[in-house]
């Protein structure tokens, strides 16, 4: 055997460097010239799969193949598969030349053909996933006198970066973590080589010698790459995956026997049949925006797993993946993104897709009622935080399906979903309304979006529950809804005076025991920066109108829109977008360097959609907001997580209004686009449940029972209301209405949901204050609590 030589992973490399306009840094080295065992580019041209039994998902970036996922959307198995063209004009890596066009049969059929143009050559690549096998076929056609074609393949098998073994021979293969890939060529390779990245790989060979001179047949274990010289300029490559070397080779050869035309026809048929079932809005949306809606629907469909049906990952990408390692990336399931995707597919008429996603989420619920922060499609947890919006959103999706008749009380899903709703409701009542993490996964406290979801979920639970559990869920929904302003609204601050408004909703309030004004919060990704709660704003408050908890013309909402438009809104050549919040640190640095734990937050297209929803709700045309979202896409029509909003940095490939190095696509953003397109036709958000609209309408709730809890104590109540003091265990309530001159004791009762106890006080007519303390099983708590009792004419 001729073994490749390993070397230092940070060996210098040189070569042609063409700056890309696709991501927020200089174009990354190819797989074979990589300086470190990182993943591939975060910004994708396209994501695609077949709709048969195959378990292969592929991504394109810079016009070449990036991560290929198998056997699940949570398992990337390659970094990239690129091409070198060598001819009379020299040798060129097509990724670095960065001159290509992408075509698909239609927006909702993601079967790509890419045409690369370079000095003296034209390369046509066609990517076709086999619907019947775990194989990706790649048709190639190179035109140019005296030109030869060289595929470069960088495996990343078994979720490892540096522990693969590569084999070169008549075909190219690799193994890692018990997984195998096999790259077969028809009509074949004239030579091949395996090498260690940065020292003995094929790119280094060309860089040093101007030609392919090495023929190492083995490299590894380590960070490896493969290269072959194709015997002809026209033919087909088959990239296959299996758990054995023989299995991968068999699949590749079988697909080649069937042939590219027949595999293409089968793949096209599957997508065409699916696209024909789409029911997308058209009467209120111009044709170009409707085309983007079709493309967005295909993006959501592409991200659903086949090994674990209903699992939809946040993105088949890794933010800033060519700058650092993150095995999880965004190819994980977040309940929030999954529900938003389910609602997005629901507005397209893909009802079975939405039901399947709900079934998966029911299976993924934890015994205590919550969902993990995120997890692989097979259910293995990744990060361990808990976000209360992710507890409430599956209940909202379930209730939407119930209200639209897609779940029937006598149907097979009903009992399973009912139990899911009951568990989730109990978790919310025990642990809400504060959240351990907000929807941006950064801060704990009281947040308008999380509150909106929890209140909506509790009202929605009333459609599933009955008796005392239903009554408690609805009563606490009313109580929390009535307190949103007490928890999250400030007035008379410097921001209010500066923007000539009465008051505004803040981004988050860490402590529910104190008024928001005067509290402080850490701004994450900013090196420990602390700021005043009243100075931090976000568009999260728009959810109050979107979920139907406040009318869209509410003064507090309109005032906060004014300050957010001024502080968070940014105009780009592609349209208007918004920062997550002022002072955000999640994004590239000022010089365009990738986010590395700190940075500067950039504009988010999905927030353009959220602002567009509010515009629609107040009677404005939402199409300009749709147009802005569609304008911020990459070359393949994918909507990114973030776009660059600062001055042009051509050396970094960062241009205003265009994607950064954050994730692309983001299924949440594509779902937002679909939901806004649907709302443009229906006149209301899909999240607005009938039961919520019926309960609250345009009025704020006037709860008859108020709930006092340690994390969110009440400071005052109105005369004529009841006060329920709640705790997580049994207790005796020792109370007085005359400052301890006379007292009464009341034993707490177990409430309908496990782990909740409450003692309800009927306040006497004319009482002005209630003071109480509690005796728990381990003794007296050692402090008094006071609640003032206000006349009925005073707001609580």
């Amino acid at each position: 055997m001729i073994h490749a030589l390993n070397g230092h992973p940070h060996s210098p490399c040189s070569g042609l460097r063409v700056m890309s306009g696709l991501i927020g840094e200089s174009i990354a080295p190819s797989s074979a010239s990589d300086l470190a065992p990182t993943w591939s580019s975060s910004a994708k041209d396209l994501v695609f799969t077949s709709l048969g039994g195959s378990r292969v998902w592929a991504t394109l970036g810079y016009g070449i193949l990036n991560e290929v996922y198998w056997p699940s959307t949570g398992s990337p198995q390659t970094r990239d598969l690129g091409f070198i063209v060598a001819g009379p004009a020299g040798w060129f890596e097509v990724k670095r030349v960065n001159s290509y066009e992408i075509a698909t049969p239609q927006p909702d059929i993601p079967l790509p053909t890419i045409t690369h143009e370079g000095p003296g050559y034209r390369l046509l690549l066609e990517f076709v996933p086999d619907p019947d096998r775990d194989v990706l076929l790649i048709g190639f056609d190179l035109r140019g006198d005296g030109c030869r074609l060289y595929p470069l393949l960088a495996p990343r098998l078994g979720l490892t970066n540096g522990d693969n073994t590569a084999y070169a021979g008549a075909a190219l293969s690799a193994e890692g973590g018990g997984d195998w890939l096999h790259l077969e060529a028809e009509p074949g390779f004239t030579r091949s080589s395996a090498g260690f990245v940065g020292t003995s790989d094929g790119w280094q060979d060309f860089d040093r010698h101007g030609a392919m001179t090495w023929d190492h047949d083995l490299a590894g274990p380590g960070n490896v790459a493969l290269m072959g010289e194709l015997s002809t300029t026209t033919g087909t490559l088959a990239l296959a995956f299996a758990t054995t070397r023989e299995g991968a080779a068999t699949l590749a050869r079988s697909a080649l026997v069937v042939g590219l035309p027949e595999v293409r026809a089968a793949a096209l048929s599957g997508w065409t049949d699916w696209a024909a079932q789409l029911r997308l809005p058209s009467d209120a949306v111009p044709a170009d925006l409707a085309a983007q809606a079709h493309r967005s629907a295909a993006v959501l469909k592409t991200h659903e797993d086949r090994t674990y049906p209903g699992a939809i990952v946040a993105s088949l990408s890794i933010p800033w993946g060519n700058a650092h390692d993150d095995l999880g990336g965004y190819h994980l399931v977040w309940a929030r993104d999954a529900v938003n995707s389910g609602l997005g597919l629901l507005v397209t008429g893909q009802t079975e897709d939405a039901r399947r996603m709900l079934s998966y989420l029911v299976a993924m619920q934890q015994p205590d009622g919550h969902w993990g922060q995120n997890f692989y499609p097979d259910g293995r947890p990744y990060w361990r935080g808990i976000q209360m919006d992710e507890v409430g959103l599956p209940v909202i999706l379930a209730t939407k399906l119930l209200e639209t008749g897609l779940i029937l009380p006598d149907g097979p899903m009903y009992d399973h979903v009912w139990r899911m709703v009951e568990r989730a409701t109990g978790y919310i009542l025990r642990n809400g309304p504060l959240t351990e993490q907000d929807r941006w996964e950064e801060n704990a406290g009281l947040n308008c979006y999380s509150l909106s979801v929890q209140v909506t979920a509790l009202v929605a639970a009333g459609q599933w529950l009955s008796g005392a559990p239903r009554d408690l869920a609805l009563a606490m929904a009313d109580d929390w809804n009535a307190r949103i302003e007490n928890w999250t609204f400030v007035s008379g601050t410097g921001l209010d005076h500066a923007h000539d408004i009465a008051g505004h909703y803040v981004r988050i309030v860490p402590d529910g025991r104190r008024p928001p004004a005067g509290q402080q919060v850490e701004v994450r990704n900013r090196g420990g920066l602390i700021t005043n709660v009243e100075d931090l704003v976000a568009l999260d408050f728009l959810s109050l109108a979107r979920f139907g908890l406040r009318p869209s013309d509410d003064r507090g909402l309109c005032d906060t829109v004014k300050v957010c438009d001024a502080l968070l809104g940014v105009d780009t050549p592609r349209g208007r977008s918004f920062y997550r919040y002022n002072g955000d640190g999640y994004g590239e640095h000022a010089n365009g360097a990738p986010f590395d734990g700190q940075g500067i937050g950039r504009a988010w297209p999905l927030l353009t959609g959220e602002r567009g929803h509010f515009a629609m709700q107040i009677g404005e045309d939402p199409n300009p907001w749709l147009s802005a979202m569609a304008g911020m896409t990459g070359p393949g029509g994918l909507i990114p997580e973030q776009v660059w909003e600062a001055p042009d940095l051509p050396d970094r490939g960062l241009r205003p209004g265009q994607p950064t190095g954050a994730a692309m696509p983001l299924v949440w953003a594509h779902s937002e686009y679909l939901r806004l397109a649907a709302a443009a036709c229906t006149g209301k958000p899909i999240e607005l449940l009938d039961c919520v609209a019926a309960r609250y309408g345009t009025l704020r709730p006037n709860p008859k029972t108020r709930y006092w809890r340690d994390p969110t104590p009440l400071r005052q109540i109105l005369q004529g209301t009841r006060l329920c003091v709640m705790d997580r265990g049994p207790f005796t309530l020792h109370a007085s209405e005359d400052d301890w001159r006379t007292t009464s004791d009341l034993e707490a009762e177990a409430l309908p949901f496990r782990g909740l106890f409450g003692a309800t006080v009927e306040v006497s007519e004319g009482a002005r204050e209630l003071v109480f303390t509690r005796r728990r099983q381990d003794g007296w708590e050692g402090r008094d609590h006071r609640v003032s009792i206000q006349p009925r004419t005073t707001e609580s």
Side-chain angles (χ1 to χ4, degrees):
M1 287 186 178
I2 303 173
H3 291 205
L5 299 178
N6 201 350
H8 195 278
H10 298 286
S11 306
C13 70
S14 60
L16 181 65
R17 293 182 64 81
V18 177
M19 302 306 172
S20 169
L22 301 183
I23 67 165
E25 58 184 293
S26 301
I27 188 167
S30 77
S31 61
S33 63
D34 207 357
L35 299 183
T38 52
W39 294 94
S40 190
S41 64
S42 52
K44 306 302 180 188
D45 297 336
L46 203 69
V47 292
F48 57 99
T49 186
S50 68
L51 294 182
S54 172
R55 301 172 298 165
V56 171
W57 294 260
T59 67
L60 298 177
Y62 303 114
I64 66 167
L65 196 65
N66 281 165
E67 292 100 2
V68 180
Y69 295 77
W70 171 87
S72 154
T73 51
S75 302
Q77 303 285 16
T78 69
R79 174 187 160 100
D80 56 21
L81 171 58
F83 294 88
I84 285 176
V85 174
W91 67 275
F92 305 93
E93 187 182 11
V94 299
K95 165 182 171 178
R96 293 169 181 263
V97 174
N98 194 30
S99 175
Y100 61 92
E101 293 182 352
I102 304 172
T104 60
Q106 59 191 53
D108 46 18
I109 299 180
L111 297 176
T113 300
I114 299 182
T115 304
H116 291 270
E117 299 273 2
Y121 73 86
R122 181 177 183 271
L123 174 62
L124 180 69
L125 299 173
E126 183 180 11
F127 297 88
V128 183
D130 188 332
D132 299 322
R133 300 168 186 84
D134 293 344
V135 179
L136 174 66
L137 292 183
I138 305 168
F140 59 90
D141 183 11
L142 175 65
R143 303 294 173 90
D145 291 341
C147 290
R148 302 297 295 269
L149 190 61
Y150 301 82
L152 299 91
L153 173 60
R156 292 293 182 269
L157 291 158
L159 282 179
T160 64
N161 275 339
D163 193 23
N164 280 199
T165 301
Y167 305 86
L172 308 179
S173 58
E175 184 273 335
D179 296 329
W180 284 85
L181 64 74
H182 182 91
L183 183 67
E184 186 93 9
E186 188 179 79
F189 294 105
T190 57
R191 63 190 307 170
S192 62
S193 186
F196 289 94
V197 168
T199 56
S200 54
D201 61 69
W203 195 95
Q204 293 291 334
D205 193 6
F206 266 97
D207 186 43
R208 298 175 190 180
H209 308 115
M212 183 178 181
T213 65
W214 294 334
D215 54 2
H216 308 302
D217 60 5
L218 174 67
N223 185 24
V224 298
L226 290 150
M227 188 168 75
E229 180 184 70
L230 290 166
S231 61
T232 62
T233 56
T234 301
T236 305
L237 294 168
L239 179 64
F241 299 87
T243 56
T244 65
R245 186 175 189 174
E246 295 81 3
T250 298
L251 288 171
R253 292 164 186 162
S254 298
L256 290 172
V257 169
V258 175
L260 183 62
E262 186 170 332
V263 171
R264 179 199 304 118
L268 183 61
S269 175
W271 275 106
T272 302
D273 290 347
W274 177 83
Q277 301 170 23
L278 291 176
R279 299 292 180 266
L280 286 165
S282 58
D283 56 332
V285 179
D288 59 332
L289 302 184
Q292 180 61 44
H294 280 261
R295 186 175 295 111
S296 291
V299 170
L300 298 189
K301 183 66 174 177
T302 300
H303 280 75
E304 184 184 0
D305 201 86
R306 214 158 282 122
T307 304
Y308 304 98
I312 185 165
V313 296
S315 177
L316 291 171
S317 71
I318 301 169
W320 300 284
N322 48 1
H324 66 89
D325 281 340
D326 182 355
L327 295 181
Y330 276 16
H331 45 267
L332 299 161
V333 179
W334 276 261
R336 171 178 47 256
D337 298 60
V339 168
N340 285 328
S341 298
L343 293 171
L345 286 168
L346 189 59
V347 302
T348 71
Q350 300 304 302
T351 57
E352 286 308 308
D353 292 35
R355 283 164 50 91
R356 196 164 53 249
M357 290 173 188
L358 178 63
S359 298
Y360 172 81
L361 288 172
V362 171
M364 292 309 304
Q365 187 182 33
Q366 300 301 302
D368 66 355
H370 84 282
W371 281 262
Q373 180 178 356
N374 54 21
F375 36 88
Y376 288 104
D378 64 5
R380 287 172 296 147
Y382 192 66
W383 291 335
R384 303 285 179 159
I386 297 177
Q387 300 159 18
M388 294 303 291
D389 65 303
E390 293 197 301
V391 183
L393 283 167
V395 177
I396 294 173
L397 175 59
T399 307
K400 190 68 184 183
L401 294 174
L402 181 70
E403 289 185 345
T404 53
L406 297 173
I407 294 179
L408 300 174
D410 57 353
M413 287 182 66
Y414 187 88
D415 286 346
H416 295 284
V417 178
W418 175 86
R419 285 190 290 270
M420 178 273 282
V421 170
E422 183 182 45
R423 288 191 295 266
T425 303
Y427 190 90
I428 292 171
L429 294 180
R430 285 189 299 272
N431 298 279
L434 282 85
T435 184
E436 180 184 306
Q437 293 179 342
D438 65 347
R439 66 171 176 164
W440 304 121
E441 310 192 296
E442 293 183 349
N443 292 94
L446 293 158
N447 166 268
C448 282
Y449 182 82
S450 180
L451 286 167
S452 297
V453 171
Q454 290 179 77
V455 170
T456 301
L458 292 178
V459 176
Q463 305 301 297
W464 299 86
L465 307 176
S466 60
R470 177 182 185 274
D471 294 342
L472 180 60
L474 294 175
M476 290 191 71
D478 292 347
D479 179 61
W480 290 0
N481 193 5
R483 299 174 67 183
I484 288 174
E485 281 67 32
N486 290 338
W487 285 330
T488 64
F489 195 84
V490 296
S491 57
T493 70
L495 276 184
D496 301 324
H497 294 308
H499 296 276
D500 193 27
I501 59 176
H504 67 277
Y505 292 94
V506 299
R507 178 188 165 233
I508 198 160
V509 179
D511 191 346
R513 298 166 298 180
R514 298 186 288 129
Q519 293 194 47
Q520 293 188 316
V521 62
E522 180 183 353
V523 181
R524 299 299 175 89
N525 310 311
R526 292 291 303 279
L529 175 67
I530 303 295
T531 191
N532 294 326
V533 161
E534 59 263 33
D535 294 333
L536 207 60
V537 294
L539 291 184
D540 296 7
F541 74 97
L542 294 177
S543 58
L544 296 172
R546 187 159 173 175
F547 286 97
L549 307 187
R550 296 292 180 272
S552 57
D553 61 356
D554 180 90
R555 181 178 178 183
L557 296 183
C558 295
D559 279 353
T560 312
V561 166
K562 184 176 179 180
V563 69
C564 285
D565 279 350
L567 293 183
L568 308 182
V570 57
D571 291 311
T572 78
R574 302 268 183 110
R576 187 165 177 78
S577 193
F578 294 83
Y579 303 114
R580 297 191 303 173
Y581 52 86
N582 46 328
D584 185 11
Y586 182 59
E588 279 87 352
H589 291 265
N591 65 358
F595 173 76
D596 57 4
Q598 295 192 54
I600 299 173
R602 304 299 169 182
W604 286 60
L606 78 86
L607 295 178
T608 299
E610 291 191 359
R611 182 63 178 82
H613 266 91
F614 185 76
M616 179 274 301
Q617 287 187 282
I618 61 175
E620 297 176 358
D621 183 6
N623 282 333
W625 302 97
L626 284 169
S627 181
M629 292 186 75
M632 296 174 193
T633 59
L638 303 185
I639 304 177
E641 181 180 43
Q642 301 179 36
V643 294
W644 187 248
E645 77 324 332
D648 196 8
L649 291 179
D651 288 346
R652 291 282 187 180
L654 291 167
R655 296 175 173 83
Q658 297 184 28
T660 70
M664 185 169 82
L666 188 68
V667 297
W668 184 0
H670 282 279
S671 169
E672 182 68 21
Y673 185 91
L674 285 169
R675 287 176 286 157
L676 180 56
C681 294
T682 63
K684 70 174 186 177
I686 190 174
E687 296 85 357
L688 180 54
L689 299 176
D690 295 341
C691 58
V692 174
R695 190 166 189 86
Y696 297 131
T698 61
L699 301 175
R700 297 191 184 185
N702 182 21
K704 300 296 189 293
T705 302
R706 309 308 301 270
Y707 292 89
W708 189 103
R709 309 176 72 171
D710 285 294
T712 52
L714 280 156
R715 292 182 291 276
Q716 60 184 34
I717 61 173
L718 295 179
Q719 288 182 348
T721 58
R722 296 180 294 272
L723 180 69
C724 179
V725 178
M726 298 181 68
D727 210 338
R728 296 293 298 273
F731 66 93
T732 300
L733 185 71
H734 186 59
S736 174
E737 294 179 350
D738 54 13
D739 202 17
W740 298 124
R741 287 188 291 273
T742 60
T743 64
S744 61
D745 288 344
L746 184 63
E747 294 297 325
E749 297 180 347
L751 296 175
F753 294 91
R754 179 180 55 81
L756 283 178
F757 293 80
T760 301
V761 178
E762 299 281 352
V763 179
S764 302
E765 194 71 31
R768 293 292 178 263
E769 183 182 58
L770 179 70
V771 57
F772 63 88
T773 188
R774 288 165 295 180
R775 184 175 65 238
R776 300 187 176 101
Q777 291 178 324
D778 58 353
W780 292 99
E781 63 177 310
R783 59 172 300 189
D784 293 346
H785 307 281
R786 296 180 181 273
V787 180
S788 66
I789 303 168
Q790 301 295 318
R792 222 341 129 168
T793 55
T794 303
E795 290 289 337
S796 61

